[in-house]
């Protein structure tokens, strides 16, 4: 691969090269892997050039070299997690579907103080960072995770999650969320590297009026909103014909019968609610998506976030990823929370997908964990090694230097070192 350096170095002459990082392999993600590659950066970590080491070295013979022994990748993007649930690690049993899993969350969470929840969120965020995560799409009912992100210096998007129960209790979930945000800002500084977005929890847990208001409020935003979609067959059954396990739970919560049954599939329902009026939302899970759902996701260019370990824990099945690829959908990866995944490392998600779908090229998983996540979240400076980007660079040690992509996706716990912070 030829180094793409001329334009950036001559047109932006003020960007003086400050670091020269090289390794046996460089994965730019926007082009083929480079054997004996290098990355040239300015002092702030913005990339000036990527290409064969010898060619960049020829232009800058005296620049000190930071030599790595593994594979260079951009920092990863965890497009779906819930730091506020980190205290539930290992506490929620799975295998019986989403309604049974979800009923445990509130019950278990009530046993912990806010301090315990915060400490667990900070620990989880540190693990994510140490495993190479540059940014997250974090979902929270409270703003607790924003402080955890700030504590660790992890950026991304905070999705303030709205449920129908909040709307029912306060009369206006969006106004209540804004009150919560203002109260937070009176005591804390909002981290500059974290964007704020409203987000519905799911189509079964929020009524159509609240969903419409959230999509209307977020339509003009730079970043997308996000929601759990087609995670479980009970959701699809409720939406289509008012059956499944959610019916009894919603009745207990005094949700009017039929108000969550539009008689449509999840994506057709989203379309009817104005979900695609602006930047398309992140479609998290899509385990039970139909061909109609995939066609609508493609039509609206909506990315899918895969959280395979969570899906296996809760419902014992994975989404039809080959069908997603055949439909041309953009893919990102998420860990979901520690209530359904053992840690917040994307390498566990990558290794799970690679072993369950051995016919899919490893580059697909590496792309979903980096560039796919950046595109889905609208974090354009991240996710690839290319001039003008500032993605952070990690070195990942890999067991097989001859086929590094395959080796990378086969190791759920590779050794990782941050070479350049994002
Ligand atoms: Zn989730």
């Amino acid at each position: 691969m030829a180094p793409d350096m001329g334009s950036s170095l001559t047109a932006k002459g003020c960007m003086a090269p400050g670091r020269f990082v090289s390794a046996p392999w460089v994965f730019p993600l926007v082009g083929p892997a480079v054997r004996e590659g290098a990355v040239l950066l300015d002092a702030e970590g913005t990339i000036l050039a990527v290409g064969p080491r010898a060619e960049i070295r020829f232009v800058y013979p005296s620049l000190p070299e930071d030599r790595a022994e593994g594979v260079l990748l951009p920092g990863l993007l965890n497009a779906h997690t819930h730091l506020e649930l980190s205290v539930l690690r290992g506490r929620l049993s799975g295998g019986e579907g989403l309604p049974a899993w979800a009923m445990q969350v509130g019950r278990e969470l009530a046993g912990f103080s806010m301090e315990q929840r915060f400490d667990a969120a900070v620990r989880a965020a540190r693990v994510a960072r140490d495993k190479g995560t540059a940014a997250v799409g974090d979902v929270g009912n409270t703003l607790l995770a924003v402080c955890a992100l700030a504590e660790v210096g992890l950026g991304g998007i905070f999705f303030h999650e709205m449920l129908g129960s909040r709307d029912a209790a306060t009369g206006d979930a969006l106004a209540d969320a804004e009150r919560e945000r203002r109260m937070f800002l009176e005591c804390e500084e909002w981290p500059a590297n974290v964007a704020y977005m409203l987000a519905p929890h799911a189509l079964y847990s929020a009524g159509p009026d609240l969903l419409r208001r959230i999509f209307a409020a977020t339509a003009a935003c730079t970043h997308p909103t996000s929601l759990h979609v087609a995670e479980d067959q009970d959701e699809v059954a409720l939406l289509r014909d008012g059956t499944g396990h959610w019916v009894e739970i919603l009745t207990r919560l005094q949700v009017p019968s039929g108000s969550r049954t539009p008689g449509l599939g999840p994506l057709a329902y989203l379309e009817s609610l104005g979900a695609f009026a602006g930047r398309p939302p992140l479609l998290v899970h899509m385990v039970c998506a139909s061909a109609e759902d995939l066609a609508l996701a493609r039509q609206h260019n909506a990315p899918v976030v895969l959280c395979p370990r969570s899906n296996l824990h809760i419902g014992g099945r994975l989404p039809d990823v080959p069908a997603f690829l055949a439909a041309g959908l953009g893919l990102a990866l998420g860990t979901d929370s520690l209530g359904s995944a053992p840690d917040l490392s994307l390498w566990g998600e990558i290794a799970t997908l690679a072993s369950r779908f051995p016919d899919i090229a490893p580059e697909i998983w590496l792309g979903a964990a980096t560039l796919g996540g950046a595109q889905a979240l609208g974090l354009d400076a991240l996710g690839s090694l290319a001039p003008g980007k500032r993605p952070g660079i990690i070195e990942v040690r890999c067991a097989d230097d001859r086929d590094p992509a395959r080796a990378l996706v086969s190791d759920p716990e590779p050794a990782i070192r941050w070479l350049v912070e994002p």
Side-chain angles (χ1 to χ4, degrees):
M1 179 188 186
D4 181 4
M5 55 202 293
S7 57
S8 61
L9 291 182
T10 53
K12 301 173 186 171
C14 56
M15 295 162 75
R19 287 191 69 180
F20 175 56
V21 186
S22 73
W25 284 100
V26 174
F27 279 52
L29 276 307
V30 283
V34 186
R35 189 187 263 281
E36 274 307 318
V39 183
L40 187 71
L41 307 106
D42 71 10
E44 273 76 49
T46 301
I47 294 175
L48 302 176
V50 180
R53 175 184 172 279
E55 292 185 21
I56 298 179
R57 183 38 109 201
F58 182 75
V59 181
Y60 294 97
S62 57
L63 208 59
E65 180 169 352
D66 190 349
R67 178 70 183 176
E69 296 306 321
V71 177
L72 301 192
L73 284 168
L76 311 181
L77 289 102
N78 184 343
H80 183 77
T81 186
H82 306 253
L83 283 173
E84 72 177 2
L85 301 181
S86 299
V87 78
L88 299 180
R89 182 169 187 256
R91 293 184 164 270
L92 307 185
S93 60
E96 301 203 12
L98 186 61
W101 180 87
M103 287 304 99
Q104 303 171 71
V105 174
R107 207 168 51 225
E108 286 289 326
L109 210 50
F112 294 96
S113 69
M114 289 305 279
E115 194 179 354
Q116 287 172 309
R117 296 184 206 180
F118 175 72
D119 290 345
V122 169
R123 281 196 300 276
R126 283 221 169 88
V127 169
R129 183 68 182 236
D130 291 347
K131 298 293 182 183
T133 307
V136 296
D138 188 69
V139 184
N141 275 261
T142 68
L143 301 180
L144 174 147
V146 178
C147 297
L149 290 169
E151 175 92 7
V152 178
L154 196 54
I157 301 179
F158 176 76
F159 295 108
H160 203 179
E161 185 174 60
M162 300 292 112
L163 286 111
S165 53
R166 186 174 194 150
D167 219 27
T170 65
D172 184 346
L174 271 59
D176 192 54
E178 182 56 17
R179 262 194 301 276
E180 185 184 8
R181 198 175 72 89
R182 285 184 186 282
M183 277 176 60
F184 178 95
L185 292 173
E186 283 173 17
C187 322
E188 307 278 347
E189 197 171 330
W190 192 274
N193 60 351
V194 178
Y196 173 91
M197 287 297 297
L198 288 168
H201 171 260
L203 296 174
Y204 54 86
S205 54
D209 179 59
L210 175 58
L211 290 163
R212 267 192 213 96
R213 281 185 281 136
I214 295 172
F215 293 131
T218 55
C221 296
T222 308
H223 298 293
T225 185
S226 168
L227 79 164
H228 304 89
V229 185
E231 182 172 358
D232 187 273
Q233 58 202 8
D234 284 297
E235 173 186 340
V236 179
L238 175 75
L239 297 180
R240 280 212 176 274
D241 53 24
T243 59
H245 289 98
W246 285 118
V247 177
E248 187 199 329
I249 295 166
L250 291 170
T251 303
R252 226 185 300 144
L253 294 170
Q254 298 182 317
V255 172
S257 164
S259 67
R260 311 262 162 105
T261 303
L264 298 169
L267 266 285
Y269 185 34
L270 276 172
E271 188 179 49
S272 77
L273 295 165
F276 304 116
R279 190 179 181 117
L282 272 63
L283 307 175
V284 181
H285 297 310
M286 295 280 276
V287 174
C288 299
S290 66
E292 176 201 55
D293 293 321
L294 300 197
L296 284 169
R298 179 71 189 95
Q299 181 188 325
H300 293 292
N301 219 11
V304 175
V305 183
L306 306 171
C307 307
R309 292 186 302 175
S310 173
N311 299 150
L312 289 172
H313 177 75
I314 292 173
R317 63 182 274 197
L318 290 174
D320 188 352
V321 183
F324 294 176
L325 292 171
L329 302 185
L331 298 182
L333 300 188
T335 55
D336 220 343
S337 79
L338 293 188
S340 54
D343 57 49
L344 299 191
S345 167
L346 282 179
W347 295 102
E349 308 298 337
I350 291 170
T352 299
L353 288 164
S355 72
R356 296 287 182 135
F357 300 103
D359 294 337
I360 293 178
E363 288 81 2
I364 295 289
W365 312 126
L366 296 174
T370 53
L371 188 58
Q375 289 171 336
L377 292 165
L379 298 172
D380 298 335
L382 304 178
S384 62
L385 301 180
K389 306 282 182 184
R390 195 174 162 181
I393 300 178
I394 53 173
E395 175 195 15
V396 189
R397 301 301 285 256
C398 94
D400 184 355
D401 193 44
R402 291 158 304 170
D403 188 357
R406 179 63 64 189
L408 287 176
V409 304
S410 305
D411 185 354
E413 294 188 37
I416 287 163
R417 177 168 70 111
W418 279 98
L419 292 175
V420 180
E421 296 285 325

